Amino acid sequence: EAQVTQNPRYLITVTGKKLTVTCSQNMNHEYMSWYRQDPGLGLRQIYYSMNVEVTDKGDVPEGYKVSRKEKRNFPLILESPSPNQTSLYFCASTLSGPNNSPLHFGNGTRLTVT
Amino acid sequence: SQQGEEDPQALSIQEGENATMNCSYKTSINNLQWYRQNSGRGLVHLILIRSNEREKHSGRLRVTLDTSKKSSSLLITASRAADTASYFCAAGGTSYGKLTFGQGTILTVHP
C-alpha cells in the first residue's frame, strides 16, 4: 500500500532532550516536507527536500534539522526541544513537487515538550 | 507568513445543503490545492487547480479560482454527515517547493 509512515504517533519529552521523528515513504517520491499544525495557525512548513541531499527551509525552520540521505526517508530532528515546539507534526511527500502534484500526508506525530 | 486565509473559520449546515468555503492568498501562485482533514488525522488531497484554470469539478466538489482577486472557493454540494471535517486551502507559489496552507474551515454537517 502506498503510504507515508511517521513514527512515533505520540511523543512526550522534556526540554533539551534530543529527539528524532522518522518519516518514510514507499512511493519513490522525490519531494518530501515537514509541517507543524497548531490551533488557529493552520499548517506551517518547517523544511522540505526536493531530492536526496537537497533540503531547504520552509517558513518556521528555527529549532529543527532535517536530513535526506536516502530518497525514502526524511527524519525531523529536534536537537534541543523547547515547550514552544509542542505541536502536531506532519510529514508529506509528492512525486515531483507541490507545483505539479498533490501531497500525500502521514498520520501525524503529536509531540509534547514539558 | 500565511499565504492562504480561509473564510469562514467554521461552518455548520444540515445534511443536503451546500457548503461554500473561501480562500484568499497574497502573492502569485502556480496552483491552489484543497485538502480535507478528519479530526487530527493526516490531510487528504481533494483537488488541485492550476493558475491558468478557472473552475474544476470532482464528484460533489467544485473549485473556482480567480487570480485577479487572488481568491478561490470550494463548494461541496448535497453535503453529508461524513463531510464533517476541516478543509484547508494551500497555495503553491512560484517559489518551487513551498506550499503554504491556510488556517482552515471547520465544517460540521448535521444529519
Side-chain angles (χ1 to χ4, degrees):
Chain A
E1 180 190 349
Q3 59 186 359
V4 177
T5 304
Q6 291 178 232
N7 280 298
R9 287 295 311 278
Y10 301 92
L11 180 57
I12 300 173
T13 190
V14 296
T15 299
K17 186 176 181 182
K18 180 179 178 180
L19 66 91
T20 299
V21 183
T22 63
C23 175
S24 178
Q25 50 90 8
N26 62 0
M27 296 169 279
N28 202 35
H29 285 170
E30 290 185 352
Y31 178 95
M32 298 184 75
S33 183
W34 277 103
Y35 288 87
R36 61 177 288 175
Q37 183 177 23
D38 302 287
L41 295 177
L43 279 82
R44 293 179 291 169
Q45 191 173 34
I46 302 171
Y47 270 96
Y48 62 94
S49 168
M50 290 186 281
N51 215 324
V52 175
E53 303 291 3
V54 180
T55 63
D56 211 342
K57 296 177 181 178
D59 295 317
V60 288
E62 295 79 19
Y64 304 94
K65 283 176 58 177
V66 293
S67 69
R68 188 91 181 274
K69 293 184 170 54
E70 307 164 278
K71 199 170 190 178
R72 65 182 291 125
N73 296 323
F74 190 44
L76 179 70
I77 303 154
L78 284 72
E79 294 269 4
S80 183
S82 62
N84 65 11
Q85 292 178 300
T86 292
S87 187
L88 179 58
Y89 290 87
F90 288 102
C91 179
S93 72
T94 189
L95 184 61
S96 60
N99 278 8
N100 297 312
S101 50
L103 292 175
H104 297 255
F105 279 82
N107 280 329
T109 295
R110 190 169 291 280
L111 171 65
T112 302
V113 184
T114 61
Chain B
S1 61
Q2 289 291 330
Q3 173 76 299
E5 295 183 5
E6 295 181 62
D7 162 55
Q9 291 188 346
L11 182 59
S12 181
I13 59 174
Q14 295 295 128
E15 217 169 23
E17 294 179 342
N18 295 343
T20 300
M21 290 159 265
N22 302 298
C23 170
S24 60
Y25 55 92
K26 295 187 175 80
T27 61
S28 297
I29 60 169
N30 174 282
N31 68 75
L32 197 290
Q33 302 179 33
W34 286 89
Y35 289 81
R36 167 193 168 126
Q37 183 183 36
N38 285 85
S39 191
R41 306 285 291 182
L43 281 73
V44 174
H45 179 259
L46 295 175
I47 202 161
L48 182 155
I49 185 166
R50 301 196 183 280
S51 60
N52 61 354
E53 297 176 308
R54 292 296 165 257
E55 188 170 311
K56 206 160 184 180
H57 297 255
S58 177
R60 293 184 296 114
L61 306 181
R62 173 179 167 246
V63 168
T64 60
L65 179 64
D66 187 336
T67 53
S68 66
K69 295 181 180 177
K70 292 187 168 55
S71 67
S72 175
S73 67
L74 170 67
L75 168 67
I76 304 174
T77 60
S79 63
R80 305 165 182 167
D83 293 329
T84 294
S86 294
Y87 292 82
F88 294 87
C89 68
T94 52
S95 172
Y96 188 83
K98 285 203 169 191
L99 186 67
T100 308
F101 284 79
Q103 297 172 359
T105 294
I106 300 171
L107 173 66
T108 304
V109 182
H110 300 280

